[in-house]
Amino acid sequence: MPRPKRQPGLPTRQQILDFITSSDQPTGKREIAKAFGLTAQEKIALKALLKDMADEGLIDSAPGRAFHKMGGLPKVTVLRVTDVDDGGNVWAVPERWDADAAPMPRLRVRERGKRSALGIGDRILARTEEAGNGWIAHPMKQLAKGDELMLGVLRREANGLWLEGVEKRERRQYPVSDPGEAQAGDLVLAEKAGRPPRITARVTERLGDPFAPRAFSLIAIHEHGIPDQFADETQDEAECVAKQPLGDDREDLTHLPIVAIDPADARDHDDAVWAAPDDDPANPGGWRAVVAIADVSFYVRPGSALDREARRRGNSVYFPDRVVPMLPEILSAEVCSLKTGEDRAALACHLTVGKDGQLKAWRFSRAVVRIAANVAYEDAQAVMDGKPLPFRGGVGVGQSRAVRLDEISPTPNPSPKGEGLKTILTPLWSCWRALAKARDAREPLDLDLPERRVMLDEKGRILSVAPRERLDAHRLIEDYMIAANVAAAKALEAKKAPVMYRVHEPPAREKLVALKDYLETYGVKFALGQVIRPATFNHILDRIGDADFRPQVMEQVLRSQTQAYYAPANHGHFGLSLGSYAHFTSPIRRYADLIVHRALVAAYKLGPGGLTDDEAANMERIGEAISRLERRAMEAERDTIDRYVAAYLAERVGELVEVRITGVTNFGFFATVDGIGGDGLMPVRDLGGEYFRYDEAAKKLVGEASGDEYAIGQTLTLRLAESNPVSGALRFELPEGRGAASGARPPRVLKRRGRPGNIRHQGKRRK
């Protein structure tokens, strides 16, 4: 390539990136220095600049000390063949991929000759080339064979052992050439080898019984590549920073009876709240509130080993039987966690709330707090309702009752009379009612989709799977957290400081057009020319009322929404009907919140651990990375819940179950067991002897002869034919005596009122 025009001094970061990206040869420090004609002194400075660029995530190093753009590929690198499709195309991935900012690329290997000599597991040294939206690999040399590991369960057939993958999309099974010490029924890691049509599997590690407690989350961890072990360096640093004193320059809030209200099985406690009537005459009928959040930025400093690991994980991942934390346990569950009676470092959001629930003022301080109580949602609700505390048959990880609730005092030092928890909660509830008025006035999107809750016993066995009850206590904490998040965003905007916004954009036009077409099938008008607000969808549901098709419409409204993400550019939060919104309230479990904390610390000069210039310059890249990692966590959590549900339903195989249709395609429909969850496919070929037409606009299958319909949201009775806990997949059949084999018509859809049960497990308060 032509040499860049010589300019005095070092090249800029962008010039270096352009040179690395456009070079057709491996590019190291020597090549960069030569290309820009650097002097001996400038070469020393170049070395430091390249190190800075690597630390900033702009470039990464490849074997041989060559550089490539972060998120890209080295010009020459080692690849591992992962698939050979039926068309003979060979696909490979980089053997080493540490770029958190981009997903691992999949390259099509372009071999010489018509017949592929490469098989799954083969390793090659290849020259890489970006072509369009993808990558091409040109093999240079075949290397010693490596492993392509697959997670699966061994199954015995008449002709030997077979490996059945745990992923729903893994439809192929592989004969096992070497089981090692594993036996039929074991969960294993195995390497695939060979070429089509003969691909075999060799067991490399036996993981144990796939139905044992904690196995389902282990499957998800392996399947999604979630880091679940901390390096010694990270652990050592956590142990060290955990011992540092809180400092004397913190605002003392230990006199306030602040309470942390969380799920009964909460693993960590990063938020706590307090409220009282405002005695300021300028705010008649108003309230003062404090939302105290764990001061994680005090312990996890930019550029530290803890910080690098937290960014690599992006967030904690919550399973019914365990948590894979973003931070080591000594911080996430101990020193940072807001626990009863313990002095803790907090970043406090002080709110002034008007009588109408509007935020009148806010300020942020580094504080020391002493939590009066850790209270479960159900317990707080029971206290406010004057009811007995609920009995819990199962025990969740981290669940504890640190103090007796009837002994809690409204002051940090319990008085002999022990006025009780209700004295603390009553003003919290009163202030919340004002916040709720403001929420109702702005009319956020109101889709009440409960979470599935898996209850386990002490040994990790399933007790029940049911929707999580939605209480006022949940809404109270959500509204306080939303208020604090809004205050954090606006406080940073006031200082013109960087903000990591939580962005939820309005629905795309094509989604709205599809929704309009769908609503017309029910005679419901939806004008596209209007300004679309969250209230627009609420009004549609209000007009429908309790009609039989309400669940179907609610399902389609949900599908029309975009996915929220993190970014430094503010596009508002459509679902919450807010113009400025950031995540501030969960820094123990979300890296986005930690970034917001650092920005506040820097902007308001609250001490050490503030946002650095490098972080501020790379907010967009960080936002993209943590958004992707959040999606990974959500998928892993959802897959694990599906496996637990499938295990719970395994004892009901052969029974008739009430299901609700959640998706319709031209090849059948997907359904979920009503009230429990678990997805399964009902192929159109099994619906009977007649022909079914797919109505794409209405998202339904229509029988040509009978007129019977299968549409999203409808409920019907099917037989549970199979429930696979390993993959989480279900399979349904028509009731006995119905279906293609008998030539009978399919069962007519049973229409009934009710809310949809498309329930997602997303952990605590993910907006």
Side-chain angles (χ1 to χ4, degrees):
M1 65 171 290
R3 179 176 297 183
K5 186 177 180 181
R6 167 70 174 147
Q7 297 289 340
L10 284 176
T12 65
R13 285 166 164 77
Q14 190 58 52
Q15 287 174 325
I16 292 175
L17 283 175
D18 291 342
F19 177 68
I20 290 173
T21 331
S22 57
S23 174
D24 56 1
Q25 299 294 328
T27 306
K29 181 167 70 72
R30 179 181 301 175
E31 288 74 22
I32 296 172
K34 183 178 179 182
F36 288 93
L38 301 186
T39 65
Q41 193 64 31
E42 289 169 343
K43 290 178 183 178
I44 297 174
L46 174 66
K47 182 178 180 180
L49 176 59
L50 292 173
K51 183 180 185 303
D52 288 344
M53 291 179 67
D55 291 341
E56 293 168 14
L58 297 176
I59 59 174
D60 196 6
S61 59
R65 296 184 179 179
F67 293 100
H68 60 238
K69 184 178 178 181
M70 178 64 79
L73 274 171
K75 300 299 178 185
V76 176
T77 191
V78 177
L79 304 175
R80 188 177 72 252
V81 176
T82 58
D83 192 23
V84 182
D85 62 29
D86 295 336
N89 295 311
V90 179
W91 299 90
V93 298
E95 185 167 63
R96 176 175 173 267
W97 186 255
D98 299 323
D100 290 339
M104 179 184 288
R106 188 167 179 256
L107 299 89
R108 184 164 63 86
V109 180
R110 183 174 289 171
E111 296 184 87
R112 295 176 181 175
K114 295 182 179 180
R115 178 175 170 79
S116 171
L118 296 173
I120 293 175
D122 285 344
R123 297 167 68 243
I124 56 173
L125 182 67
R127 180 172 58 83
T128 65
E129 172 191 359
E130 194 166 9
N133 294 325
W135 289 84
I136 300 294
H138 303 276
M140 299 168 60
K141 180 182 180 182
Q142 188 164 349
L143 306 175
K145 192 173 180 64
D147 294 341
E148 165 58 15
L149 298 183
M150 172 183 172
L151 189 65
V153 175
L154 297 185
R155 181 172 53 82
R156 183 168 295 283
E157 296 289 345
N159 56 346
L161 286 173
W162 288 73
L163 180 68
E164 181 179 0
V166 301
E167 298 185 42
K168 291 180 182 179
R169 60 180 176 269
E170 180 63 73
R171 300 180 181 275
R172 300 168 65 182
Q173 299 178 8
Y174 304 91
V176 177
S177 59
D178 180 7
E181 298 180 357
Q183 300 177 357
D186 283 344
L187 178 68
V188 299
L189 281 170
E191 71 167 331
K192 293 186 288 186
R195 294 191 296 270
R198 182 65 178 175
I199 297 178
T200 62
R202 182 181 68 84
V203 174
T204 61
E205 184 179 355
R206 177 184 178 274
L207 299 177
D209 181 0
F211 300 100
R214 298 170 64 85
F216 297 143
S217 55
L218 180 65
I219 291 173
I221 288 168
H222 278 276
E223 182 181 357
H224 293 277
I226 295 172
D228 64 333
Q229 299 294 326
F230 289 101
D232 290 343
E233 178 190 12
T234 307
Q235 290 280 20
D236 292 344
E237 186 173 279
E239 295 278 351
C240 181
V241 301
K243 298 173 184 176
Q244 65 186 1
L246 301 183
D248 300 325
D249 54 348
R250 292 182 176 273
E251 182 178 10
D252 188 353
L253 298 181
T254 56
H255 63 286
L256 296 181
I258 303 177
V259 293
I261 305 176
D262 292 289
D265 54 358
R267 278 77 158 183
D268 46 57
H269 308 277
D270 39 13
D271 58 81
V273 290
W274 168 87
D278 193 353
D279 54 9
D280 187 344
N283 187 28
W287 301 88
R288 292 179 297 124
V290 171
V291 178
I293 307 299
D295 189 2
V296 176
S297 64
F298 180 69
Y299 297 98
V300 182
R301 304 292 173 86
S304 64
L306 282 167
D307 181 48
R308 291 194 300 271
E309 183 64 20
R311 187 185 296 190
R312 186 168 79 96
R313 296 181 177 219
N315 46 251
S316 299
V317 188
Y318 293 85
F319 301 111
D321 58 350
R322 76 174 84 195
V323 60
V324 180
M326 184 178 77
L327 301 171
E329 187 172 353
I330 191 172
L331 295 180
S332 62
E334 296 297 333
V335 175
C336 291
S337 193
L338 305 181
K339 293 188 172 183
T340 302
E342 301 287 341
D343 285 359
R344 288 289 187 260
L347 192 56
C349 174
H350 302 256
L351 299 172
T352 301
V353 181
K355 184 179 180 180
D356 58 357
Q358 298 294 330
L359 297 184
K360 291 179 153 306
W362 50 78
R363 71 177 178 90
F364 291 84
S365 69
R366 269 187 158 152
V368 55
V369 298
R370 188 178 302 148
I371 303 304
N374 292 105
V375 188
Y377 285 118
E378 296 84 356
D379 291 347
Q381 191 68 53
V383 168
M384 291 304 296
D385 293 343
K387 296 179 179 178
L389 297 181
F391 170 77
R392 297 186 185 90
V395 177
V397 175
Q399 179 178 331
S400 64
R401 301 289 289 282
V403 294
R404 286 184 54 186
L405 296 182
D406 57 356
E407 293 178 350
I408 294 171
S409 168
T411 62
N413 300 310
S415 64
K417 294 182 179 179
E419 290 90 340
L421 181 61
K422 190 164 186 176
T423 306
I424 302 174
L425 296 181
T426 298
L428 269 173
W429 245 255
S430 298
C431 179
W432 165 63
R433 292 189 183 98
L435 292 172
K437 285 181 187 177
R439 179 198 62 214
D440 294 341
R442 71 173 191 268
E443 296 186 282
L445 187 62
D446 187 16
L447 294 178
D448 192 7
L449 300 174
E451 299 176 354
R452 282 176 291 175
R453 185 180 187 184
V454 176
M455 292 296 294
L456 308 176
D457 65 13
E458 294 86 345
K459 296 183 178 179
R461 296 171 300 197
I462 305 170
L463 287 174
S464 65
V465 180
R468 190 185 295 268
E469 187 180 5
R470 183 80 169 152
L471 304 170
D472 280 350
H474 294 100
R475 298 180 180 92
L476 174 140
I477 290 299
E478 285 185 359
D479 283 335
Y480 276 107
M481 297 305 113
I482 289 171
N485 288 337
V486 169
K490 291 186 176 295
L492 289 171
E493 289 172 350
K495 289 285 188 178
K496 295 183 170 51
V499 187
M500 183 64 79
Y501 290 101
R502 179 63 166 176
V503 180
H504 182 227
E505 298 189 58
R509 179 171 175 79
E510 56 268 24
K511 292 287 188 72
L512 294 175
V513 170
L515 179 63
K516 178 180 182 294
D517 294 341
Y518 179 80
L519 291 174
E520 284 179 352
T521 65
Y522 291 104
V524 178
K525 298 298 183 183
F526 177 51
L528 291 178
Q530 63 183 311
V531 176
I532 302 298
R533 299 181 296 113
T536 305
F537 301 108
N538 297 339
H539 295 162
I540 290 173
L541 296 172
D542 290 342
R543 282 157 47 200
I544 291 172
D546 291 330
D548 288 345
F549 55 87
R550 180 185 176 90
Q552 294 95 301
V553 172
M554 192 178 291
E555 187 78 33
Q556 286 305 114
V557 169
L558 176 65
R559 288 167 182 258
S560 71
Q561 304 304 305
T562 61
Q563 188 169 39
Y565 62 93
Y566 296 105
N570 187 15
H571 299 290
H573 197 295
F574 177 81
L576 292 176
S577 194
L578 291 168
S580 296
Y581 191 68
H583 271 171
F584 160 76
T585 55
S586 297
I588 289 177
R589 65 186 184 93
R590 291 188 305 222
Y591 195 80
D593 303 55
L594 178 56
I595 289 290
V596 171
H597 277 231
R598 287 174 177 167
L600 287 166
V601 167
Y604 287 88
K605 297 180 172 52
L606 300 179
L611 194 72
T612 65
D613 292 341
D614 287 343
E615 286 178 308
N618 286 286
M619 291 279 275
E620 185 173 358
R621 183 181 62 81
I622 295 171
E624 290 173 354
I626 59 180
S627 296
R628 187 181 68 255
L629 294 171
E630 179 189 52
R631 290 191 291 272
R632 179 181 72 176
M634 291 171 65
E635 291 171 3
E637 291 169 356
R638 184 182 62 239
D639 290 350
T640 301
I641 293 291
D642 285 345
R643 290 186 173 101
Y644 270 107
V645 169
Y648 184 67
L649 290 173
E651 297 180 358
R652 297 184 60 184
V653 169
E655 296 181 13
L656 297 180
V657 292
E658 282 270 299
V659 305
R660 187 179 58 83
I661 298 176
T662 56
V664 180
T665 69
N666 59 353
F667 55 82
F669 62 79
F670 294 92
T672 185
V673 179
D674 210 17
I676 296 178
D679 295 315
L681 174 67
M682 184 73 189
V684 69
R685 65 175 180 270
D686 294 339
L687 290 178
E690 71 173 307
Y691 176 78
F692 276 79
R693 175 176 53 84
Y694 175 51
D695 185 338
E696 185 173 4
K699 299 291 189 297
K700 62 184 178 182
L701 293 167
V702 182
E704 290 283 5
S706 66
D708 286 329
E709 299 179 355
Y710 295 95
I712 290 176
Q714 291 179 328
T715 60
L716 61 155
T717 302
L718 295 177
R719 186 177 303 281
L720 182 61
E722 182 181 341
S723 184
N724 187 341
V726 175
S727 66
L730 308 178
R731 186 170 63 84
F732 299 113
E733 294 177 342
L734 295 180
E736 219 170 300
R738 315 294 292 268
S742 64
R745 284 169 47 183
R748 191 171 294 276
V749 174
L750 305 177
K751 295 184 178 180
R752 49 180 272 185
R753 298 179 182 181
R755 293 181 175 177
N758 184 22
I759 305 165
R760 295 176 292 176
H761 178 83
Q762 296 184 337
K764 181 185 172 186
R765 296 190 294 276
R766 181 181 282 134
K767 288 284 185 185

